[in-house]
Amino acid sequence: MESKALQHSATDSGTALKRVFGPIPVALSLIVLCGVIGLLLLSIQDGRASDQVFQRLNRSDSPLQVASATSRDTINLAQITRAWTVGSGTRRDVQIARAGLANRLNVTDSFGVKGGEAFDSFFGQPLDEFDQAFAGAPSGSLPVEDQDVWADIMTEPLRNLEDAAKQVLTKQQYLADGNALEIVNENKQLSWLQLLVAIAVVAVSGLLFVLVWTVARRNFRRANKILSDEQAQLKRSLFEIEQLKEFGNDESRILQLVLSGSSLQSVFSEIADLASIYSAGRPFRVSLDGVESRSGEFLGHEILEMSWPFEIERSKKTGVVQKFLWRAEIEEHDLLARPESTASNIDIGRRCAELAQIAASDSWARQKLKYEASHDPLTGLCNRAFLEQRMSHVLDERNSGGTGVALIFCDIDRFKLVNDSLGHKAGDRLLVNLAEWLRSAVDGFLRSPSGKATDILLSRFGGDEFVLLCTSDHVIEAALALGLRISELSRRPIQLEGIETFTDMSIGIAVANDQANTVESLLRNADVAMYRSKALGLGGPVLYSGEDETDRLEHLQTNTLLRRAFERDEFRLHLQPIIEFSTLRVV
């Protein structure tokens, strides 16, 4: 249809020109018209060819796009593997990333070439080395003791994979440069052809030549822009790959600080400095529940730009990594003078937040374990291990001329009866209530005049036994006063299972001296005094004396002798009958 319309137009124009100019001008006019039509056809062809080239360069299955995607998947595999070597991932995560890279290598580009075939010279050997090194990895997350070993095993394979990714991007950049040069040469050839046609039709084709030249220039600029964008993208990708590689080394250093038990404050400070280094020196702040660290010079006038919150799930606490901008920098419109891209900036902030989360979780877990190791889970009081550790410390100070030390040993009377009659849950509630009473007794004593300059540690020694460690310059008076206060409080009634119950305490007090200056001797003396209180049934504190120990030793020796007497047949039975005198009968 289009060709027929052009023929009719040419015929009408030729008839009109014949009437005005004669046969030769008409022939020349037809030649000029054909030249104009030729120029138009050439321009249309040039535009379509440029659009096809633009679409070909930007197709998702172009060799350059396939190479970029393959490099990203390779870097992703390296990052996930490093996270696995520090215990932040599982073996399955690495296997999934490896399978994703394998699928990517099976993708076919626009020329029908699979990525695995195109990049085999780059990825073949590094992938084999990676698979061989990872084949013996244990399932699940790595234990802490195996993380350094696997980090050393995987270092070389991961480095080779990253180098292969960089080489693929470099090669595709070179090919992209060659394709762009070929496009430019084709455009130049079309432009010269248009110029020759324009010279042949000098009178009419001047304006048309300018138009065609303008189109050619536009296409040339478009091709140059595509090439420049691709080069800039490749440079950014290479820069980010190198930056992330260096960042991974610094991440490992900070994780080593976490594993070594460094304070949360110092680890947060390292994280803030690390984030600042990889963000062109911008100020960073890391904070969580009162612990805060800042990078470099922080004037307090900075403007918040980005935030990355992180949460410690087990403690229900939320922290944040924040990036700031200098106020003067914003006023001078210097925000574009930054080497890092927004994407890498966000990724560094996110990874720093993950580091802070790991450090905070580790610190919380260490504090939790330390607390559980030194406290009774039922009452929340200090346990026996912590008490003995503290006793050893204060006795060393006392033996070096420090303050006096006393031990108050409390045992609940009839506790077994409560357990047997009301159940162990009621017994646990009784222990919890008594622990609260003891706390209130200690608090009240410390606020009283007798409690001045006195230090008291309350602990559950085990079972139904509570022990108070008392240090003071007037330790005997303080221990007796505290023992009396505890004795009074223990006589209060307690409601257990709807039944009002009374529980007394047997209280023994032992004071450290030159003969009893060790943990074992002081505990033994307090225990002896407590049993003396239980035997007397006074319901009040009993102060240890050497006579209690002598009586206890004599009782122990007598019991031993009696047991041996049965074995040695040392008993002699003598009968003394009772006789009724009136009848002289044995009754």
Side-chain angles (χ1 to χ4, degrees), residues 206-414:
L207 181 61
L208 189 58
F209 172 77
V210 173
L211 179 62
V212 173
W213 179 254
T214 303
V215 173
R217 292 284 296 177
R218 183 176 69 248
N219 293 335
F220 180 78
R221 291 193 184 102
R222 181 186 296 177
N224 277 335
K225 185 177 184 305
I226 293 172
L227 178 61
S228 299
D229 291 343
E230 293 292 342
Q231 289 177 337
Q233 183 179 356
L234 288 172
K235 289 181 180 178
R236 284 196 300 269
S237 298
L238 290 173
F239 174 78
E240 290 179 5
I241 290 172
E242 189 64 28
Q243 189 180 50
L244 291 175
K245 181 179 177 181
E246 295 176 0
F247 187 84
N249 296 331
D250 290 326
E251 271 186 327
S252 300
R253 176 177 57 82
I254 291 179
L255 290 173
Q256 288 296 330
L257 288 178
V258 174
L259 293 176
S260 65
S262 300
S263 66
L264 191 60
Q265 182 80 38
S266 62
V267 175
F268 277 5
S269 179
E270 290 289 337
I271 293 174
D273 290 339
L274 177 65
S276 179
I277 290 173
Y278 286 93
S279 300
R282 298 308 191 275
F284 272 79
R285 178 169 62 194
V286 185
S287 60
L288 170 68
D289 194 30
V291 179
E292 178 179 310
S293 294
R294 300 177 178 181
S295 64
E297 296 184 1
F298 211 99
L299 304 178
H301 304 296
E302 295 77 12
I303 297 177
L304 178 65
E305 181 186 14
M306 294 182 184
S307 294
W308 296 270
F310 60 91
E311 183 177 353
I312 312 303
E313 295 181 358
R314 290 178 291 180
S315 62
K316 303 301 181 183
K317 294 179 180 178
T318 301
V320 65
V321 175
Q322 296 174 313
K323 178 190 176 186
F324 295 83
L325 295 175
W326 304 113
R327 187 179 298 275
E329 182 181 41
I330 297 176
E331 293 174 354
E332 294 173 2
H333 305 289
D334 193 28
L335 294 181
L336 295 178
R338 291 186 286 178
E340 79 279 5
S341 66
T342 303
S344 64
N345 204 1
I346 292 175
D347 188 63
I348 288 173
R350 177 184 59 79
R351 293 175 66 173
C352 285
E354 292 174 355
L355 282 175
Q357 183 181 33
I358 292 172
S361 298
D362 180 80
S363 176
W364 182 88
R366 290 176 185 271
Q367 293 176 2
K368 184 70 174 176
L369 288 175
K370 184 178 180 181
Y371 178 85
E372 291 176 352
S374 60
H375 287 76
D376 174 48
L378 178 62
T379 62
L381 300 178
C382 297
N383 59 17
R384 178 173 181 170
F386 185 81
L387 170 69
E388 292 180 349
Q389 181 182 2
R390 181 62 180 168
M391 283 178 62
S392 177
H393 178 70
V394 298
L395 285 174
D396 288 341
E397 290 184 347
R398 182 260 172 200
N399 296 335
S400 301
T403 58
V405 179
L407 209 61
I408 305 173
F409 205 108
C410 307
D411 182 83
I412 304 173
D413 297 335
R414 300 180 300 279

Side-chain angles (χ1 to χ4, degrees), residues 10 37 40 60 102 112 191 220 241 255 257 267 275 318 380 401 420 422 471 475 496 503 507 530 543 584:
I37 294 173
L40 289 174
S60 61
S191 299
F220 180 78
I241 290 172
L255 290 173
L257 288 178
V267 175
T318 301
D420 293 342
L422 300 179
T471 57
V475 69
L496 295 175
T503 57
I507 303 172
M530 182 273 294
L543 184 63
L584 298 178

